[in-house]
Amino acid sequence: MNRSAWIQLTSLICATGIWLTAAGAAAPAGRIPGDFGPPQGEPIHAQLTSPPFVPPPIHRNHPAKVIVELEVREVEKEISEGVTYTFWTFGGTTPGSFIRVRQGDTVEFHLRNHPDNKMPHNIDLHGVTGPGGGAASSFTAPGHESQFTFKALNQGIYVYHCATAPVGMHIANGMYGLMLVEPPEGMKPVDHEYYVMQGDFYTVGKYRERGHQEFDMQRAIDERPTYVLFNGAEGSLVGERALKAKVGDHVRLFVGNGGPNLVSSFHVIGAIFDRVRYEGGVHEQENVQTTLIPAGGAAIVEFYVRVPGSYVLVDHSILRAFNKGALAILKADGEPNKAVYSGKEVDSVYLGDLAANPAAVAEARAAEARGTLTKEQQIKAGEARFTGTCSVCHQASGEGLANVFPPLARSDFLMADKQRAIGIVLNGLTGQVTVNGNLFSSVMPPMSQLNDDELANILTYVRNSWGNSGEAVSADEVKQMRASTRRPEGAAN
Ligand SMILES: [Cu+2]
């Protein structure tokens, strides 16, 4: 060891009050790094928050005893518009309540399993030093409570999850969350802190297939998720529920990945992370576009909002974003800065049908369930789904583009045959087609990834907009066409 390294080491030892032997091992017993001695003052009840919120920073200069009370609840919630799922949760939400403590704190953990629950549960906190991370000490039957205590020795952002067999099933049902262990000196203040956590979900029914959906163990084993989501539901962070910031703000996201299977390529469209504490550790990377977040891992990402608009959080394994739900919005208000960015808002480009009116879709679903669905409701819901789906080619005006995309507005071809139109949207169209006397010879891809309701509503909308008027298309008609025709090779079913 050279002289300056020795001086650095000895000053580190003095600063932390830890004595290291020549070999670098900690001694004497009882004084280990991160242990700042016994808790001081009155015990504190931890303030827990539901996503996307984060408890306030800790301004404390001594270790304390912190009591965490977390209740497991099995709850039925919407996983997507009109689709329900039974989530198993820590604190009633997926991801579970956010826990914030200070390095050196003694955490007295109480895990309750609500009496209405059907399953036993426990908790494994990655921020715990000790076998199982609390799992063995916290196995709790419905209607019971268990308690264990640990010292938060290491600072960082840590995943916690249920570890009751079958573990994969408990995690797939939403049993994970984050615990932040702040460094003793606290974290650098920022304007907003938010809590976002990704997870993959496996349902028996297809993506957006309505009604109650059961967990599909085989799909989970095969790692073929139906949904990949931020904060436990498609659209959990869009529209009214979008994360909010102002131009000039420095935003910090605590981003976890509960898995159970997928690794996240976390990206914010339109932002560059000025700092990332990757893998939740203390090292910082700068100027990052996309950061990998392993299943059972987390990161802290920070970025400045320089211009107003919608910033889209995605898993950049991009079909997960646009076809499985892994998409959220941070909406920034403020004055434009044309010198930094002259472009327009991203809504129609990136947000697709999520930017449109989700209430209309919900209303149509509810009406259909009651058997009172009207053509008007179908048209409104169809308009929402048309946006960002068909409008990229046929245009929001339905006019198409000369010589490339045929018009839907006042289209003689569209209106002549309802069944044929259903078939075209399901199975695509190639070869020559004459619309209003103009010849088109191009390719429309099959849009069979849309479900029967979506497709019926879209066609009802296009057949009753821009000067067209015709009968509604029902979900049953689409279903029959799907059953009686074959999709081209490679199309979604
Ligand atoms: Cu569990």
Side-chain angles (χ1 to χ4, degrees):
M1 187 182 292
N2 66 34
R3 193 181 139 78
S4 75
W6 173 249
I7 289 168
Q8 267 178 22
L9 179 62
T10 46
S11 58
L12 181 85
I13 291 161
C14 298
T16 54
I18 297 160
W19 183 248
L20 301 174
T21 65
R31 263 306 165 113
I32 41 179
D35 185 351
F36 307 135
Q40 298 168 31
E42 287 296 300
I44 295 165
H45 282 263
Q47 180 189 342
L48 307 183
T49 55
S50 297
F53 301 108
V54 177
I58 295 169
H59 301 288
R60 209 179 343 108
N61 58 7
H62 59 86
K65 176 170 164 181
V66 179
I67 299 166
V68 174
E69 289 168 297
L70 196 54
E71 183 174 54
V72 175
R73 300 192 72 117
E74 298 168 3
V75 289
E76 187 178 305
K77 287 195 175 197
E78 278 208 333
I79 189 165
S80 178
E81 189 55 65
V83 189
T84 54
Y85 188 78
T86 303
F87 292 87
W88 298 349
T89 72
F90 288 107
T93 54
T94 292
S97 308
F98 195 104
I99 306 167
R100 188 170 195 153
V101 300
R102 180 180 181 272
Q103 188 182 12
D105 281 349
T106 296
V107 181
E108 183 182 294
F109 208 100
H110 297 251
L111 189 72
R112 279 192 200 112
N113 193 352
H114 193 277
D116 292 347
N117 291 349
K118 306 279 183 294
M119 297 287 152
H121 301 283
N122 67 5
I123 193 165
D124 166 354
L125 296 122
H126 291 182
V128 168
T129 304
S137 332
S138 61
F139 182 86
T140 313
H144 290 257
E145 172 181 331
S146 46
Q147 184 188 328
F148 62 101
T149 300
F150 65 91
K151 191 162 273 193
L153 294 176
N154 301 73
Q155 64 152 300
I157 181 80
Y158 295 98
V159 168
Y160 65 78
H161 62 87
C162 183
T164 302
V167 178
M169 180 179 182
H170 284 252
I171 295 179
N173 283 340
M175 295 199 80
Y176 43 77
L178 291 181
M179 176 175 73
L180 174 67
V181 183
E182 277 201 42
E185 69 280 11
M187 297 181 75
K188 195 170 78 69
V190 289
D191 300 295
H192 293 284
E193 291 184 328
Y194 288 117
Y195 170 24
V196 177
M197 198 157 180
Q198 184 171 321
D200 27 299
F201 293 85
Y202 303 81
T203 59
V204 171
K206 285 188 290 187
Y207 174 64
R208 287 185 177 175
E209 189 170 314
R210 76 187 134 96
H212 186 75
Q213 291 298 330
E214 297 295 337
F215 170 68
D216 187 326
M217 187 61 168
Q218 191 57 51
R219 287 190 71 134
I221 292 168
D222 296 342
E223 304 191 13
R224 287 195 304 120
T226 330
Y227 293 90
V228 181
L229 302 171
F230 293 123
N231 291 3
E234 184 172 31
S236 63
L237 297 171
V238 304
E240 289 296 293
R241 294 182 297 265
L243 303 176
K244 297 195 176 53
K246 287 198 192 61
V247 168
D249 283 351
H250 199 196
V251 176
R252 176 181 290 145
L253 303 179
F254 297 99
V255 192
N257 184 7
N261 289 319
L262 302 187
V263 167
S264 173
S265 299
F266 185 73
H267 176 80
V268 177
I269 300 172
I272 296 151
F273 306 140
D274 60 300
R275 297 200 300 176
V276 175
R277 281 179 57 171
Y278 51 94
E279 296 176 3
V282 290
H283 287 290
E284 284 179 356
Q285 176 65 287
E286 292 176 14
N287 297 324
V288 174
Q289 56 193 304
T290 301
T291 193
L292 269 179
I293 308 180
I300 304 174
V301 310
E302 295 175 4
F303 57 96
Y304 284 93
V305 175
R306 299 298 189 195
V307 290
S310 296
Y311 293 83
V312 189
L313 286 58
V314 294
D315 180 337
H316 214 298
S317 289
I318 211 73
L319 280 102
R320 299 177 188 168
F322 296 111
N323 300 80
K324 293 183 174 167
L327 187 152
I329 305 292
L330 180 131
K331 182 86 182 160
D333 292 331
E335 287 302 307
N337 183 341
K338 299 281 181 200
V340 173
Y341 185 66
S342 71
K344 56 181 184 183
E345 176 61 307
V346 300
D347 284 13
S348 57
V349 185
Y350 269 124
L351 307 191
D353 60 11
L354 283 173
N357 180 3
V361 177
E363 203 182 302
R365 293 238 206 228
E368 175 155 33
R370 288 193 304 269
T372 62
L373 183 63
T374 65
K375 191 167 147 187
E376 271 317 303
Q377 287 168 321
Q378 278 194 277
I379 291 172
K380 285 214 181 94
E383 181 179 14
R385 290 291 187 241
F386 180 87
T387 309
T389 306
C390 319
S391 64
V392 288
C393 296
H394 294 288
Q395 306 298 298
S397 62
E399 297 291 346
L401 274 182
N403 304 320
V404 191
F405 303 121
L408 300 176
R410 294 171 305 280
S411 160
D412 54 0
F413 186 86
L414 163 73
M415 298 310 288
D417 188 338
K418 178 164 94 163
Q419 294 302 321
R420 178 176 67 190
I422 299 172
I424 289 173
V425 181
L426 268 177
N427 302 320
L429 185 64
T430 55
Q432 298 196 334
V433 54
T434 304
V435 182
N436 299 342
N438 297 316
L439 187 73
F440 293 84
S441 182
S442 186
V443 177
M444 169 163 154
M447 306 295 280
S448 49
Q449 76 279 7
L450 297 164
N451 66 27
D452 297 342
D453 300 278
E454 290 174 317
L455 220 150
N457 294 343
I458 287 173
L459 275 175
T460 303
Y461 167 67
V462 302
R463 287 168 48 82
N464 289 281
S465 302
W466 320 297
N468 298 338
S469 100
E471 260 177 68
V473 173
S474 74
D476 265 346
E477 286 174 297
V478 177
K479 191 175 171 190
Q480 278 166 31
M481 183 65 69
R482 208 187 284 267
S484 63
T485 56
R486 272 195 62 184
R487 244 63 52 236
E489 203 70 24
N493 288 302

